[in-house]
Amino acid sequence: MDSEQETTLPTTPQDPTPPTQMPIIPAFAPIPVIPPLAPIPLPQPTQNGELGLPNSDSDDSGSDNDDEMVDDAKGSNGLSPIEVNYEISEESRVVRERHEKAMRELMLKRRAAALAVPTNDNAVRERLRRLGEPITLFGEREMERRDRLRVLMAKLDSEGELERLMKANEDEEGTGREGEEEDEGLEYPFYTEGTRELLEARVEIGRVSVLRARDRLARARRKRDDPDEDEDAELGVALRVAEGLVLDCSEIGDDRPLSGCSFSRDGKMLATCSLTGVAKIWSMPNLHKVSVLKGHFERATDVKFSPVHDHVATASADRTAKLWSHDGTLLKTFEGHLDRLARIAFHPSGKYLGTTSFDKTWRLWDIEKGTELLLQEGHSRSVYGISFHPDGSLVASCGLDALTRVWDLRTGRSILALEGHVKPVLGVNFSPNGYHLASGSEDNTCRIWDLRKRKSVYIIPAHSNLISQVKFEPQEGYFLVTASYDMTAKVWSSRDFKPVKTLSGHEAKITSADVVGDGQCIVTVSHDRTIKLWSSRSSNQEGPMDIDETGLS
């Protein structure tokens, strides 16, 4: 009963205690967003150097006061003092300067691309003259000159000087050009006035070259039109002769390395020179010493036989070239170069001598008078090789600037600049056909240039080291000989410039090579101090060929 009363007590209306109820949990209130704190104002330097604080009325100011504090804390460039006064590392400073420089160059290029630059070369020269700049630089071409003007104009335009400078020059030239309009079409090429002797030499060279060119072309027409002339058969015979070349004789040429060699016009004598400064004349084919040419004080760099006489010319590092008779008598000394000589060559007429030098010039000499006719510049570095055209009208020069130039001796103009080698060009030689030119370079290649097409038609990867000399077979040009520092000389067909024969036997780098007139013999000289003669086995087979002819008759 007691339990029943206890259970009914909460429901009794007389009970003053209210009934128990479950508590109601209210919804969560949103988390208030705390506004960002204003930056702590930093002391600012005043005019007298003291530190001050920005103005504020109270610490409990609103957002407006906070904005004013932030504005006061910023400098004139809109950055806070923390951002303005920090220190950067040296590496960061260098990177920033490099970036700024690149941006300036980029803007300069954009400005230059937007400028109107003349396309006519004469107008470009005139504009450069107005700006007070050189109208041309050494070796500069038309497009390079135009690019230089563009960069110059962009630079002046960025500095705000272009319009003022151009207007001032135009006004000045306009006042001084009254009565000079007739001279505007005249061109003033860069030439140096030559001597009377040079003029006479040019006339003589022109006369001789016309006669020689007439004979060469007549011979070429006869080969083309005569049914009895079979050029392919003759080429095949010459290549078979070259294939049969073997070492016939080897002789010690001097106490020091040999630097040059040359056959006489009839092939009965051979001239060599060495680093001792001495040249020697040898009889063929047994290489018996005939005479010794002593006169140079430095090493001899080259030696050549005259094409019309038995005279010998030598070049030396003592800056002189000398002319000798074959018996060792000194005839002439040619002085004038400012640095050591490299190679020499006779003009086909035998009246003139060409020399190259490390003073960046080549010179033409009158052999009879022993005087200098022409001093020719044009290479940017030392001039090394030289060769005269078979007609005598042209001369080719090559040098350490990796360039081969062809000059017209009758006018003095540079008519061709043959570019293609990537390293110094050390040897050059004209083919007897009149239109092929071979050049050998330090890039281990030999290039064949066609003067008619004005470009390289063959690139021969000839050797594994630099090519020191190139030489066509002098009669018809049926094959080409290259000598190299890889201790070999190689023979190449002139039809397709494929290898025909490799002449191996030297124990050091080969410095020079020459081919006898009929192509039956090749000579090479080397730093191993030896002279080596390479003769063909078929040279002794002329007898059986004659017997066959008599049998047929």
Side-chain angles (χ1 to χ4, degrees):
M1 293 293 290
D2 294 336
S3 61
E4 291 179 358
Q5 292 178 356
E6 290 178 356
T7 56
T8 57
L9 282 177
T11 60
T12 304
Q14 290 82 11
D15 192 356
T17 304
T20 58
Q21 297 180 355
M22 296 296 292
I24 299 174
I25 301 174
F28 290 101
I31 301 174
V33 178
I34 302 175
L37 298 178
I40 300 174
L42 297 178
Q44 299 291 330
T46 59
Q47 295 181 354
N48 56 2
E50 298 178 355
L51 296 177
L53 294 174
N55 296 328
S56 60
D57 295 337
S58 61
D59 295 335
D60 56 350
S61 59
S63 61
D64 294 339
N65 293 336
D66 293 339
D67 295 339
E68 292 178 0
M69 293 173 64
V70 172
D71 293 338
D72 293 338
K74 291 183 178 181
S76 60
N77 56 358
L79 300 176
S80 67
I82 297 178
E83 297 173 337
V84 173
N85 297 331
Y86 69 90
E87 296 182 359
I88 61 175
S89 64
E90 181 67 19
E91 183 179 358
S92 300
R93 186 184 62 81
V94 172
V95 171
R96 175 180 293 182
E97 291 178 355
R98 188 185 303 121
H99 176 70
E100 293 176 353
K101 181 179 179 182
M103 290 300 298
R104 287 195 300 268
E105 293 178 355
L106 178 61
M107 296 304 297
L108 188 62
K109 289 181 180 179
R110 290 181 177 177
R111 189 185 297 271
L115 290 175
V117 182
T119 56
N120 183 272
D121 188 57
N122 292 331
V124 171
R125 291 170 181 263
E126 182 65 23
R127 183 69 61 86
L128 288 170
R129 184 182 290 110
R130 289 182 182 180
L131 296 176
E133 294 291 324
I135 62 173
T136 186
L137 301 178
F138 181 78
E140 188 178 48
R141 300 180 181 178
E142 289 81 357
M143 292 304 297
E144 296 170 348
R145 189 178 301 114
R146 187 168 181 263
D147 292 340
R148 179 164 63 92
L149 174 61
R150 182 188 297 276
V151 173
L152 179 63
M153 291 177 61
K155 182 178 179 182
L156 293 176
D157 187 41
S158 63
E159 297 173 356
E161 297 288 332
L162 181 61
E163 295 295 335
R164 183 185 61 81
L165 188 59
M166 291 295 295
K167 187 175 185 304
N169 284 319
E170 289 176 359
D171 295 341
E172 182 180 353
E173 292 185 0
T175 58
R177 277 195 173 183
E178 297 179 358
E180 296 183 0
E181 288 80 7
E182 65 275 6
D183 296 337
E184 291 183 356
L186 298 179
E187 295 184 359
Y188 299 95
F190 178 74
Y191 287 125
T192 302
E193 184 176 357
T195 61
R196 181 70 183 178
E197 290 79 7
L198 177 59
L199 176 61
E200 295 174 356
R202 292 196 192 281
V203 172
E204 176 65 17
I205 289 173
R207 185 186 65 81
V208 172
S209 64
V210 168
L211 298 177
R212 296 179 67 90
R214 182 193 62 186
D215 296 339
R216 176 175 59 83
L217 294 176
R219 186 168 62 253
R221 294 189 189 98
R222 185 177 64 252
K223 286 186 176 183
R224 181 192 63 187
D225 301 333
D226 191 349
D228 296 332
E229 294 282 349
D230 191 347
E231 187 174 0
D232 291 337
E234 293 180 3
L235 177 60
V237 171
L239 294 182
R240 285 194 296 272
V241 170
E243 288 177 0
L245 290 172
V246 293
L247 181 60
D248 186 48
C249 181
S250 181
E251 180 71 24
I252 298 294
D254 208 313
D255 297 333
R256 295 194 64 192
L258 302 177
S259 55
C261 61
S262 176
F263 279 116
S264 62
R265 55 194 174 101
D266 55 5
K268 295 181 179 179
M269 289 186 290
L270 172 69
T272 62
C273 63
S274 72
L275 300 188
T276 60
V278 175
K280 296 180 181 180
I281 308 298
W282 309 79
S283 63
M284 289 287 293
N286 297 322
L287 291 182
H288 292 155
K289 191 189 321 182
V290 175
S291 59
V292 178
L293 314 179
K294 293 184 177 181
H296 289 292
F297 301 103
E298 290 283 347
R299 61 189 182 276
T301 57
D302 199 14
V303 61
K304 284 292 185 295
F305 260 106
S306 170
V308 296
H309 303 102
D310 288 335
H311 294 165
V312 180
T314 57
S316 172
D318 62 6
R319 307 179 185 178
T320 66
K322 295 181 183 294
L323 183 70
W324 314 77
S325 63
H326 69 279
D327 59 1
T329 304
L330 179 61
L331 303 178
K332 291 284 190 307
T333 298
F334 306 98
E335 299 178 347
H337 280 289
L338 304 178
D339 206 338
R340 65 184 187 271
L341 272 64
R343 299 292 188 185
I344 56 175
F346 277 94
H347 188 268
S349 66
K351 296 181 179 180
Y352 311 104
L353 180 69
T355 59
T356 61
S357 171
F358 279 73
D359 62 5
K360 305 179 184 179
T361 68
W362 67 267
R363 307 194 186 203
L364 188 69
W365 308 84
D366 188 318
I367 293 179
E368 182 179 354
K369 299 178 182 178
T371 57
E372 178 187 304
L373 294 175
L374 174 65
L375 185 157
Q376 185 62 63
E377 299 175 334
H379 288 271
S380 60
R381 296 185 64 187
S382 303
V383 188
Y384 198 86
I386 187 171
S387 176
F388 287 95
H389 191 275
D391 298 342
S393 57
L394 307 177
V395 61
S397 63
C398 62
L400 305 190
D401 56 359
L403 189 66
T404 301
R405 285 190 177 272
V406 180
W407 310 82
D408 190 340
L409 287 173
R410 299 161 296 184
T411 62
R413 292 176 179 268
S414 173
I415 59 175
L416 282 177
L418 305 176
E419 301 181 39
H421 288 291
V422 297
K423 288 187 177 181
V425 185
L426 305 179
V428 64
N429 189 242
F430 279 102
S431 171
N433 62 22
Y435 54 85
H436 277 162
L437 176 69
S439 61
S441 169
E442 199 174 308
D443 60 10
N444 307 346
T445 66
C446 176
R447 285 180 177 261
I448 307 300
W449 308 88
D450 194 322
L451 303 183
R452 303 166 299 179
K453 300 178 181 179
R454 309 168 76 92
K455 66 177 184 179
S456 173
V457 291
Y458 289 98
I459 303 176
I460 308 174
H463 294 272
S464 59
N465 207 331
L466 67 84
I467 298 176
S468 56
Q469 185 72 283
V470 292
K471 185 73 176 180
F472 277 101
E473 179 263 312
Q475 203 169 57
E476 298 293 341
Y478 286 144
F479 60 83
L480 171 71
V481 178
T482 60
S484 171
Y485 275 18
D486 63 3
M487 300 183 291
T488 66
K490 295 185 180 181
V491 182
W492 310 85
S493 168
S494 63
R495 176 167 48 194
D496 48 14
F497 294 99
K498 292 183 178 180
V500 176
K501 182 72 174 181
T502 299
L503 309 178
S504 301
H506 283 286
E507 298 177 356
K509 51 192 178 184
I510 301 177
T511 53
S512 185
D514 199 10
V515 185
V516 80
D518 57 0
Q520 299 288 332
C521 183
I522 295 175
V523 62
T524 56
V525 295
S526 168
H527 272 214
D528 62 9
R529 303 175 297 142
T530 63
I531 309 167
K532 295 190 184 297
L533 291 178
W534 311 84
S535 300
S536 174
R537 295 191 186 98
S538 62
S539 60
N540 297 324
Q541 297 178 2
E542 296 180 359
M545 292 177 65
D546 294 337
I547 291 174
D548 292 339
E549 284 187 6
T550 56
L552 291 174
S553 61

